[in-house]
Structures are given as structure tokens and as C-alpha cells.
Amino acid sequence: MPGRPLSRAHARAACSTGLVTEATTAQVQVLRGRLVPLGGIRAMYVRRTLPHRSRAFIGAWCFVDHYGPNEIGADGSGGMDIPPHPHTGLQTVSWLFEGEIEHRDSGGAVGLVRPGEVNLMTAGAGIAHTEVSTRETRRLHGVQLWVALPDAARDTHRNFEHHAPPLVPLRGVGSARVFIGELAGVDRSPIHTFTPLLGAELILNPGAAVALAVDTAYEHGVLLDTGEVSVEGVPIESGDLACIDPGPDRLRLRAGAAGARIVLLGGVPFDEEIVMWWNFVGRSHDEILAYRQGWEAGSIRFGTVKGYAGPVDRIPAPPMPAVRLRPRGRRGAGAEGNSS
């Protein structure tokens, strides 16, 4: 899924809140989702929490889009139709709650994204892909996530993986599907990542309270999809991302009267600095410029997506910003003109 450079209005709309509750020593930073339009012929909007001016990562998770539920008309309006577009230096993770999306990429992979099944695409040195909601889809609802590849692996080969994790009961308080990494006492995913990560969907019963055992070396983020939930005593709203730094060995969640569905993210702090602009992750302004020029020139770096039947054959890259892009680290501090 392509990103898009944010306008100044979008930047002004972004906000974050740091809160400490009496019940815990964990500090919770709440990032509010901001509406961002996606590229493509049939426009749709997403709620984006990462990247954020005050926080660039949770582990190596560097991009979090939450969308839907969107009603899709018989003509495809309200759906997803994203023509070929490029990526470098990252992995994309697609997770759906409702609907179905067809994925095609220049590595030759063709696959369907379905609810409860994860698709991970490794861009490595370069890839192009498409995302189109199927004709049978009438509601589209899910998350699109990106993982920054560490410097030692960012020029790796293209790859595509699929996994359907089992639904595992959480001792009477709900259930979970672990799609990336491992959640203690629940499950482990076979999906390969290049840094230690966690990604899981949790469904909490009405009024459920749970203290999840978590890795003390990980940062964690809780994205609320539906219902109500508090994280370490801090209530969050749908589309919010509650972030907690490494240290605690338990993550305390409490669902509201209607229960809750959340996406739990985690990972070892990613200490490298990156430049992320449009759909590219690199390490310098000049590297991003070279990626853009390569995409516009039809470089073999990105390859060709076969079988896409949309009205255009590719998404052109937007113009480079008027200022040089500067690398950003864990706490944001990106330069003006960065994609966040």
C-alpha cells in the first residue's frame, strides 16, 4: 500500500499524549490517528498513527494504517484499487478484519489477503506490487503495516509469505491470533522477520481484564480497532495507538462493556536512523532520490507486475520536496519534508 507525503494541515492535526496512571509505572504515549488519502483511482482514506513526529517506530514497525469498515458499492466505489507502485528497504504486513484483497508483485507472487490470514511481502532492494479488493468484497476493514529492514538486510531478495494463525483462547477473557513473532503462552508465527517483532490480533470479552506477559526488551503498541479498551489504565479511542517503552513484564488491558478488538505490536527498539519518503525506506536523501529516479525510469530494480487489469499501468512518484530529507530515529525528529 502506498504512502503519501503529508500536507502541513495533516501535520498540524497530528497529536500525542503522554500519560502515567496510578496503577502502574508504565508510561503510555497515545498517538491519535490522522486521516490520509491513499493513491489510486478509487480513493479511500486511512487513519495513520505511524510515522509520527514524536515517534518513528515501535520496534522496527515504522508505519501503521488503520482503515474501514468501508462499504463498497457494486461499481467498486469505496474499495481498494492501487496500481503498481514501488517499495524499498521494508516489509509490508497486511491484516484484514473484513473483506478480501488480491495481491500481485514483481517477484511473481499472487495471493489473497483474507481476514485472519497474514501476508508479508519483503521489498528488499526493490519490488513493485498492486492491491485490489475483490469483486465479492462488500466491506473492507483492516490494517496495513510496514517494517523497516535493518541496514544489513535491506538489500535482500524479494519475497512473499502467507500464514493463517490459529485462534487461541485467552483463558476465558478472549482470544488471540499471533501473526508475527511470539506471544508468551499463546502461539508463535513462522513468518520470517529480520529483527525480533510481535504482531497479534486480540479479541477481548466484554469487561475482560488481562495482564499479558510480554518481553521486557520490547517496545509495545496497542491499536484499538473496535469497542473500548484501556491500556495500563489509560482509555484509548478507535484508531488510537497506545505506545509503551521497554521495561514492563506485563501489559494490562481492560475492555469496555462491548468488549474490544485490538492489534498488539511489539519489537526490540530499532536504533538505526532511516529516511522514509513516499514508499521508500533508505538512509539518505540522495538514496531516496535515486530510488525515485529509478522508478520513474522503469528500472529493473523494481521489476514488473503481471496480470494487473486496472486503468493505469503504474503510480508515478510525487515530486521530491524542496528541502533535503534528513534521517530520523526512534523519537521522530524528522526533517521538514519527510514523509511523516
Side-chain angles (χ1 to χ4, degrees), residues 19-45:
L19 298 173
V20 180
T21 70
E22 295 179 358
T24 177
T25 58
Q27 183 169 344
V28 180
Q29 179 188 31
V30 180
L31 306 183
R32 309 292 183 190
R34 58 193 186 273
L35 287 179
V36 178
L38 292 184
I41 302 304
R42 300 180 180 127
M44 63 177 286
Y45 280 78

Side-chain angles (χ1 to χ4, degrees), residues 233-312:
V234 178
I236 62 174
E237 299 177 0
S238 178
D240 285 355
L241 182 66
C243 308
I244 300 173
D245 287 339
D249 63 356
R250 293 288 188 276
L251 179 64
R252 295 168 177 83
L253 306 170
R254 182 179 293 275
R261 179 165 59 197
I262 67 171
V263 174
L264 173 62
L265 303 175
V268 172
F270 190 80
D271 288 324
E272 297 182 25
E273 291 190 338
I274 66 171
V275 177
M276 185 162 69
W277 179 83
W278 194 43
N279 302 314
F280 304 131
V281 170
R283 295 301 187 274
S284 70
H285 176 97
D286 291 340
E287 196 170 69
I288 296 295
L289 177 61
Y291 292 154
R292 182 193 181 279
Q293 291 173 338
W295 174 247
E296 292 300 281
S299 169
I300 60 173
R301 170 187 289 273
F302 302 105
T304 301
V305 181
K306 297 180 180 179
Y308 174 70
V312 299

Side-chain angles (χ1 to χ4, degrees), residues 166-238:
L167 184 66
V168 180
L170 292 178
R171 292 179 293 182
V173 298
S175 59
R177 286 187 172 93
V178 181
F179 54 86
I180 296 287
E182 181 179 10
L183 186 58
V186 180
D187 192 23
R188 173 183 289 183
S189 169
I191 294 291
H192 176 68
T193 59
F194 292 84
T195 54
L197 291 175
L198 166 65
E201 175 188 309
L202 276 61
I203 299 175
L204 301 179
N205 296 337
V210 59
L212 290 173
V214 294
D215 193 322
T216 59
Y218 278 27
E219 302 171 316
H220 289 91
V222 176
L223 176 73
L224 177 60
D225 174 46
T226 58
E228 299 176 343
V229 74
S230 63
V231 180
E232 301 293 345
V234 178
I236 62 174
E237 299 177 0
S238 178

